[in-house]
Structure formats: C-alpha cells, structure tokens
Amino acid sequence: MTDLPVWIQIVAAVLLVVGGVFALVGAVGLLRFPDFYMRLHAPTKATTLGVGGVLVASMVLSWTRGEVGLHELLITLFLFVTAPVSANLLSQAALHGRVPSKAPVPADVPVAEARDGTGPSGSSSATS
C-alpha cells in the first residue's frame, strides 16, 4: 500500500470515529429505549449515519488510490433509501397490530381515545 498524505488519513480517521460513535449510539438506544417505537428510531437514524460515515471514509481512501469507489457509493445510497422505508413499514405493521407505546399521551387527546386508538373525531387512526 502506498503512503497516504496525513490530511487524508486524518479525514478518514475522523469519518471512521464519527461513524463508530453514531453506530454505538444507535446500539445503545436499541438496548435502552423502553418500547418498540422508540427502539425502532435509534437504529434507523443513528446507525444509518454510522454506517454512512464508515462507507464515506472507505470512499475517500479508495479515491486517493485512484479507484472510483462505486461499490461504497451504491451501498451508501441503498442504505439511505431503504432504512427509512423499512422503518416506516415496521411502524405501520406495529400500528396495525396495535403494539402499545410507553410514550406519554399528548395533552389535547383524552386518555380513553388514546387507549382505544381513535383520534379526536372518533375515527380510527390506524389503517385497516
């Protein structure tokens, strides 16, 4: 392997550390959050950014070697497109299955309506 300039090594190291921190935060959030909806939020946001940081660092290093880095770019694009879609589908399935949430009920929604899944107008908020 050829010697890389110090500034490229620093950029790659910073991207790897930032990506690792985001991945760690996502993993800790997955363990610490109390219910499904909060646990779904942690890996889809933080871990996506963590893996994105690692892949961008890999792209920077491959560009310095004269390679295109197309694989890393495609993986990054695929990840940033599919993670929100899969999170949305999982949350819709949980809402349809009436998975309970431990989040506090907003002040403008009566507790009885919040428990049975109906909104302020009495119609069901979950799709059939």
Side-chain angles (χ1 to χ4, degrees):
M1 182 172 157
T2 61
D3 289 327
L4 296 174
V6 174
W7 69 272
I8 292 177
Q9 293 178 9
I10 291 172
V11 168
V14 167
L15 286 169
L16 286 171
V17 168
V18 168
V21 167
F22 273 112
L24 179 65
V25 167
V28 169
L30 183 62
L31 291 173
R32 299 281 314 236
F33 284 148
D35 69 348
F36 173 79
Y37 301 103
M38 293 179 198
R39 286 183 181 157
L40 182 65
H41 180 76
T44 56
K45 304 297 183 242
T47 308
T48 301
L49 291 173
V51 173
V54 171
L55 288 170
V56 170
S58 179
M59 276 192 294
V60 167
L61 291 177
S62 61
W63 285 339
T64 59
R65 291 187 305 230
E67 299 172 4
V68 178
L70 184 63
H71 293 98
E72 292 90 347
L73 180 64
L74 291 174
I75 292 170
T76 304
L77 291 175
F78 182 74
L79 179 71
F80 280 104
V81 168
T82 58
V85 172
S86 63
N88 187 16
L89 291 174
L90 284 169
S91 63
Q92 284 182 357
L95 285 172
H96 185 70
R98 298 193 184 269
V99 174
S101 175
K102 294 183 181 178
V105 177
D108 61 342
V109 177
V111 176
E113 289 179 0
R115 276 195 203 122
D116 65 2
T118 60
S121 64
S123 62
S124 177
S125 61
T127 57
S128 302

